[in-house]
Amino acid sequence: MKRRAPASSLTPDQRMIFALLLAAQAATVAPLLVELPLWVPGITLFLIGLRALFLWRNRPTPRSWVLVLLGIGAAAAVLAQFHSLNGRDAGVSMLLFAAALKSFEIRSRRDLIVVIYLAYLLAVAHFLFDQSIPWVLYALALIVFVTMLLTRLHAGPQPPGWRSLGYVGLLRILAAIPLTLLLFALFPRIEGPLWGRPAQSQNAVTGITNQLTPGSIARLATSQAVAFRATFTGAPPAHDARYWRVYVMDHFNGRRWVQSPSARPHPGNLQPTGQIRHYSLLMQASDRHAIPALDMPLQAPARARLEAGHVLRANNLIDGTREFALSAASHYVLDSTLAPGARRAALQLPPGVALQARALAERWRAADPAPQAIVNRALAYFHDHAFYYTLRPPPLHGDITDDFLFKVRRGFCEQYASAFAVLMRAAGIPTRIVAGYAGGEWNPVLHYLLVRQANAHAWVEVWLQGRGWVRIDPTSAVAASRVQRSAANSPGVATIGEGLHIGFVQHWFNTLSMSWDSVEYFWNLTIVAFGPQQQRAFLQRIGLQSGGIAQALYIAIGIAVLMLLGLGIDLLRRSAAPADAPTRLYRRHLRRLARSGLRPAPSEGALDFAERVAAQLPQEAEHARRIAALYTQARYAGGDTKRQTHRLRQLMQAVRETRKSD
């Protein structure tokens, strides 16, 4: 009958390192609770805790065949969850299980080293999910801690203290920075972010969608997540001109607005008539193709296109931080003529809905059929009647348009935009809904516009003869006195929330928030969004060529220079290294003998030199032999600190006695 494997063959110090390593693993896995399906990090943490319990109670670990079955079960579960063992989520899940199960196989110092290397992989695996500054600092702290454990494991029976280990760990991380920067700047970049996000992400990114229903914009009103940042060449647009179009919807089914399936692919004919504004847009990951664009985008940037409604779409999914160079016309005429098909689509209303709204629009048109007059009557209707702007509108029942216009009269921007569009179509004016962002916070530190998800907004475009599509924001027609306080800080209603004052604490918090955002903006712009275009521009600025062969040559030269630099620093450090205490005392003894013309040969040891001194200066024989023996013991014998201190004091006393005898 086979006996079970021994519980552990590790020394007490190695067991302590193992326990700390398990703690580091748990600290690495915990943040993944919000990134992966809960059961993956949950089971991993359970296995780590179970291994810690076995270690604490010195219990034998399960047999190998049990671990093999657990590994096969974990792979099957990952395959069932992700339908693949490849990719970010599946790959990181397999790494978690591998690291946790490997910890049950630790029998020796070598096994411990393998698990330490797996801990390094776990620490950097989170970069596939999050490249923010807080996580980078957290991961660096974990890496320094794991390096401390690795250094202590290699230190032998007399390891340095934890403070010294921390210094060594930090120093080794700092020493890797030059090579890291070299590879970051010169290693050929692939299309996409520094660390890619797969399309099959388990957690959808919150943001505007391609359909508008009651509450679809309001749910974003409290989100402080960054949507994008924009840096302008010249002055930024005025606040009332900060409209960023994302989706254009022209089909209404009575409750929901979507883009018509028959929408023509052509974006429309744009005639710029005013100032052209150039800007750079740094966009956060959205897991969608839509690119927010300031009204009205002139042309599509590289790897993007203009689509129906004059909206921008990236060719590839925006799965990471991306930078786009864009331009917009501040004044324009979009579609000076409207084709019959497009007109019919822009006048479509489902039969049997919004009967009261239709009747109201008919009365306006009967009073004055001019489209601009009807638009003004609708805006005045929202301003003069008891309409309220609120983040928490009551639910709409039945016909949502009539219920909102004639009963509830409380809503967010999507209710106002939808009702206004129905009124215009009922009056015979081609109209469509635009969903995007409005407003933004100006950062005075780095001079860019910060737009959050809370800036999500909806407005309408009406087509007027000779003017084309004209932007109308019905929400701004609501009287400022009827903007409920809970919605006052929503950037989407900034134009109607003017006059609301903030206190000192809020002002201080806003200043602190914008300062931190400046740091994040710089990090995202220079590090996270450093793609192929940015690399080519950087190499061009410093006078280097881009391309695989040229960059490989630069990397080889850079590594050679760093190696030579490191070798030179090491030689200087060794030559300039201060002598230890026994050596300083022995050199003092040698300087005394040098006055008698005796000096040790370069290859002559202390004991041999003492015998030569005894032969040539018999009166010095006893002192020379004693000092040589004490020096050799103090320098090379080792032992605990107390014993080393005692030997050093003996050597010091012997050297002093020789000087007194002169």
Side-chain angles (χ1 to χ4, degrees):
M1 180 178 178
K2 293 183 178 179
R3 300 182 59 183
R4 302 187 68 168
S8 173
S9 59
L10 302 177
T11 66
D13 191 66
Q14 290 171 347
R15 287 171 57 83
M16 180 193 66
I17 293 174
F18 187 16
L20 293 174
L21 180 59
L22 290 173
Q25 281 187 335
T28 306
V29 173
L32 295 173
L33 286 168
V34 297
E35 305 289 356
L36 291 172
L38 194 60
W39 67 269
V40 175
I43 291 179
T44 305
L45 289 173
F46 171 76
L47 291 174
I48 292 173
L50 187 63
R51 185 62 185 94
L53 180 63
F54 282 14
L55 180 67
W56 176 49
R57 304 190 64 171
N58 200 23
R59 297 289 299 275
T61 54
R63 296 178 179 177
S64 298
W65 65 267
V66 176
L67 298 178
V68 170
L69 287 180
L70 287 174
I72 294 174
V78 170
L79 187 62
Q81 174 73 43
F82 302 105
H83 307 292
S84 172
L85 295 179
N86 298 320
R88 183 195 65 177
D89 293 356
V92 173
S93 299
M94 290 299 298
L95 180 61
L96 293 183
F97 289 132
L101 292 176
K102 181 61 183 175
S103 67
F104 285 89
E105 293 184 333
I106 289 182
R107 301 282 188 276
S108 63
R109 176 173 170 273
R110 176 185 170 280
D111 296 332
L112 205 51
I113 292 175
V114 172
V115 177
I116 286 178
Y117 289 150
L118 285 175
Y120 280 118
L121 289 177
L122 286 177
V124 299
H126 200 285
F127 288 137
L128 296 172
F129 301 89
D130 188 357
Q131 302 97 46
S132 64
I133 296 176
W135 171 252
V136 171
L137 296 177
Y138 184 71
L140 283 177
L142 286 173
I143 291 173
V144 169
F145 182 67
V146 173
T147 304
M148 292 168 60
L149 299 180
L150 184 62
T151 305
R152 186 176 179 105
L153 194 61
H154 286 290
Q158 297 296 325
W162 287 107
R163 180 178 296 180
S164 299
L165 288 173
Y167 173 75
V168 171
L170 185 61
L171 196 61
R172 287 179 177 172
I173 297 301
L174 293 176
I177 288 179
L179 180 60
T180 303
L181 293 177
L182 175 74
L183 295 177
F184 174 80
L186 296 178
F187 195 84
R189 316 294 296 184
I190 60 174
E191 188 61 43
L194 179 59
W195 295 282
R197 290 166 50 91
Q200 66 275 21
S201 174
Q202 296 295 310
N203 301 312
V205 178
T206 301
I208 297 175
T209 62
N210 58 354
Q211 56 181 292
L212 188 76
T213 56
S216 60
I217 299 290
R219 66 183 174 82
L220 300 174
T222 57
S223 172
Q224 293 303 304
V226 175
F228 59 88
R229 301 173 177 90
T231 306
F232 296 89
T233 302
H239 191 92
D240 58 0
R242 296 172 186 174
Y243 283 84
W244 309 81
R245 61 197 297 118
V246 180
Y247 295 102
V248 173
M249 291 158 275
D250 57 0
H251 183 78
F252 183 54
N253 67 357
R255 193 170 187 86
R256 181 179 60 181
W257 287 87
V258 296
Q259 186 178 35
S260 172
S262 59
R264 54 179 182 163
H266 191 272
N269 297 314
L270 178 69
Q271 300 173 18
T273 59
Q275 178 187 4
I276 304 301
R277 201 178 303 278
H278 301 280
Y279 63 101
S280 173
L281 187 133
L282 188 67
M283 187 178 173
Q284 299 299 113
S286 65
D287 285 349
R288 297 184 179 90
H289 292 270
I291 303 174
L294 184 68
D295 260 355
M296 184 61 73
L298 285 180
Q299 58 191 10
R303 298 180 304 281
R305 62 190 182 280
L306 277 170
E307 286 194 348
H310 226 73
V311 293
L312 287 175
R313 295 290 178 267
N315 294 341
N316 300 317
L317 207 64
I318 302 176
D319 53 3
T321 303
R322 301 284 180 84
E323 185 181 15
F324 299 98
L326 302 173
S327 54
S330 57
H331 296 84
Y332 54 87
V333 175
L334 178 62
D335 290 340
S336 57
T337 60
L338 199 60
R343 174 181 288 275
R344 284 194 299 272
L347 291 173
Q348 171 267 339
L349 281 177
V353 302
L355 299 181
Q356 290 181 265
R358 291 172 191 250
L360 177 62
E362 284 295 334
R363 290 197 297 272
W364 289 345
R365 186 161 64 173
D368 187 346
Q372 186 62 60
I374 296 174
V375 170
N376 293 338
R377 279 179 178 270
L379 293 175
Y381 183 78
F382 285 141
H383 183 272
D384 298 339
H385 291 75
F387 283 91
Y388 289 83
Y389 186 95
T390 175
L391 283 175
R392 297 181 178 85
L396 300 175
H397 302 285
D399 191 309
I400 63 170
T401 304
D402 287 347
D403 197 35
F404 172 72
L405 284 175
F406 304 105
K407 294 181 180 177
V408 177
R409 290 183 172 177
R410 295 174 183 272
F412 203 56
C413 60
E414 61 261 41
Q415 282 91 350
Y416 286 93
S418 176
F420 187 89
V422 171
L423 286 170
M424 293 300 101
R425 288 189 172 192
I429 302 175
T431 309
R432 60 190 185 185
I433 298 279
V434 182
Y437 299 90
E441 302 170 72
W442 181 251
N443 186 304
V445 181
L446 294 183
H447 306 289
Y448 63 85
L449 194 65
L450 168 65
V451 179
R452 304 180 187 275
Q453 294 296 344
N455 292 91
H457 194 48
W459 61 95
V460 302
E461 286 180 340
V462 298
W463 189 86
L464 302 178
Q465 185 67 42
R467 298 175 59 186
W469 291 105
V470 178
R471 182 180 63 233
I472 304 291
D473 190 350
T475 309
S476 63
V478 179
S481 60
R482 283 184 258 113
V483 176
Q484 294 194 349
R485 192 70 180 178
S486 58
N489 291 332
S490 173
V493 295
T495 54
I496 57 177
E498 294 176 354
L500 297 174
H501 300 289
I502 59 176
F504 169 77
V505 175
Q506 183 67 38
H507 175 74
W508 178 82
F509 178 79
N510 289 343
T511 302
L512 187 64
S513 175
M514 294 303 286
S515 299
W516 172 248
D517 191 78
S518 301
V519 178
E520 284 194 329
Y521 173 71
F522 183 78
W523 168 261
N524 287 331
L525 184 66
T526 57
I527 303 296
V528 180
F530 191 74
Q533 289 182 318
Q534 289 78 7
Q535 187 180 51
R536 283 193 292 270
F538 169 75
L539 293 177
Q540 188 175 11
R541 280 200 301 272
I542 62 175
L544 297 180
Q545 296 180 352
S546 59
I549 297 178
Q551 289 177 230
L553 181 62
Y554 299 150
I555 292 174
I557 294 174
I559 291 177
V561 170
L562 287 177
M563 291 179 65
L564 291 174
L565 184 63
L567 183 61
I569 293 175
D570 185 65
L571 291 175
L572 287 175
R573 185 178 62 85
R574 289 174 182 271
S575 62
D580 52 26
T583 303
R584 290 198 299 271
L585 291 171
Y586 183 66
R587 286 176 179 173
R588 190 183 302 172
H589 169 65
L590 294 181
R591 285 196 293 271
R592 173 177 171 274
L593 292 176
R595 293 198 292 268
S596 302
L598 290 174
R599 292 181 176 84
S603 60
E604 191 173 27
L607 297 177
D608 293 339
F609 179 60
E611 292 301 324
R612 188 157 64 88
V613 171
Q616 297 186 23
L617 298 174
Q619 69 277 14
E620 296 286 344
E622 181 180 355
H623 287 302
R625 287 170 176 154
R626 184 180 176 213
I627 289 175
L630 289 172
Y631 167 68
T632 303
Q633 291 179 359
R635 186 78 193 282
Y636 305 109
D640 56 27
T641 305
K642 182 177 180 181
R643 183 171 298 179
Q644 290 179 358
T645 303
H646 178 68
R647 289 170 182 156
L648 187 62
R649 287 176 177 171
Q650 285 183 311
L651 176 60
M652 186 182 304
Q653 182 64 28
V655 173
R656 285 176 178 172
E657 288 176 358
T658 57
R659 297 183 66 181
K660 290 179 180 177
S661 64
D662 290 343

